[in-house]
Amino acid sequence: QKQAVTAGLDHLSTVITWAHGYQYGPDLGINDGNFEYAVTAEFADRASYEAYRDHPEHQRFIAECIAPIRGERASVQVEIPD
């Protein structure tokens, strides 16, 4: 499942090119209690994030690859000052 998620994100990163610093991968297993997989991305502004969030390919990926296997989810959007 993690390999399928990674493959899907590899594809998504070629379709949605305005996400910068797009990184993802399975947890290294160093600490107990961590989530199993993480995705991080940087966007120029809120509108760019919302375009990514709502992009049809992103929504398809979530529906087909993530939703069927997702347990708990943690999500945070932060603004990082220049």
Side-chain angles (χ1 to χ4, degrees):
Q1 291 172 332
K2 292 174 189 174
Q3 289 174 341
V5 170
T6 298
L9 289 168
D10 286 345
H11 169 72
L12 201 59
S13 68
T14 66
V15 174
I16 303 175
T17 58
W18 58 89
H20 305 284
Y22 201 53
Q23 298 180 6
Y24 41 87
D27 180 63
L28 297 176
I30 297 169
N31 296 318
D32 291 336
N34 286 358
F35 285 96
E36 293 186 34
Y37 203 95
V39 178
T40 64
E42 297 177 26
F43 300 92
D45 51 34
R46 183 178 181 152
S48 296
Y49 163 72
E50 290 172 346
Y52 163 80
R53 179 194 67 195
D54 300 337
H55 192 283
E57 281 292 309
H58 184 241
Q59 290 300 313
R60 182 195 60 75
F61 171 71
I62 291 170
E64 293 178 5
C65 192
I66 300 298
I69 63 171
R70 179 176 56 211
E72 289 185 72
R73 176 180 183 261
S75 179
V76 177
Q77 288 76 41
V78 298
E79 185 171 334
I80 300 172
D82 292 331

